[in-house]
Amino acid sequence: MQRSREELLVSSYLNDLSRPPAGYPSEQEVSQAYESSKDSFKRPRRFHLAQIYIGDAAASDKQVADRSAKELASKAKSEDFAQLATKHSQQALSAARGGDMGWIDEDQLIPEMKDQVVKLTPGTVSQPIRSQTGWHVVKLLESKPAGIAPLSEVRETINAGLRRL
């Protein structure tokens, strides 16, 4: 029992010695780490998208899905996209948010969708996009160009990394 107690005390003492001080890293150290490793904070072009998804699980549904996607794409150009997505999209997660898919990196888009999305301007709606599983009608809400993430967005990551060293 005494030996276990001593081992616990020694372990606790060594952990305290190896823990970085409370004020570490300083703002200057974080800035230096950011500047010296900016290349690791590159990000691709990003798109904030909303979609209406029409699936065609069975072969007999494909013609119905095709027609439905074309009608919805036409309506989406003049009607409230979020309401249409909530009512008609078969992708439950995004439909519950008015079609909002959040931010997606360009390299994460499926190839069929990428071709049209990169041509959209904010607020515009795509033609129906055919994928392997069905149709997507996509609205570009916003986009961000490729570039380096600002320090404000990666500060916590840098801080945690420096404290682990």
Side-chain angles (χ1 to χ4, degrees), residues 52-128:
I52 301 170
Y53 174 74
I54 306 298
D56 56 8
S60 62
D61 293 337
K62 285 186 181 183
Q63 288 180 336
V64 173
D66 293 355
R67 205 170 26 258
S68 181
K70 289 174 184 166
E71 289 172 14
L72 285 168
S74 178
K75 286 182 181 181
K77 293 181 190 306
S78 59
E79 296 181 25
D80 186 324
F81 192 93
Q83 285 181 346
L84 289 170
T86 301
K87 186 174 180 182
H88 299 285
S89 184
Q90 295 172 356
Q91 207 286 323
L93 194 60
S94 65
R97 297 186 310 240
D100 193 336
M101 296 171 57
W103 286 95
I104 301 173
D105 291 347
E106 183 174 4
D107 55 1
Q108 292 176 322
L109 291 169
I110 60 173
E112 301 89 351
M113 194 179 286
K114 183 178 178 179
D115 293 341
Q116 282 203 41
V117 168
V118 298
K119 296 174 187 172
L120 295 175
T121 57
T124 59
V125 177
S126 72
Q127 295 297 317

Side-chain angles (χ1 to χ4, degrees), residues 53-57 62 110-112 129-136:
Y53 174 74
I54 306 298
D56 56 8
K62 285 186 181 183
I110 60 173
E112 301 89 351
I129 302 167
R130 181 81 172 109
S131 72
Q132 292 178 356
T133 59
W135 290 93
H136 306 263

Side-chain angles (χ1 to χ4, degrees), residues 17-47:
L17 285 179
S18 65
R19 187 173 300 137
Y24 179 79
S26 69
E27 188 58 36
Q28 181 181 358
E29 290 166 316
V30 171
S31 293
Q32 286 174 343
Y34 175 74
E35 291 300 325
S36 67
S37 58
K38 270 188 172 178
D39 284 346
S40 65
F41 301 112
K42 285 183 181 177
R43 34 168 94 127
R45 188 169 168 193
R46 302 176 78 209
F47 303 97

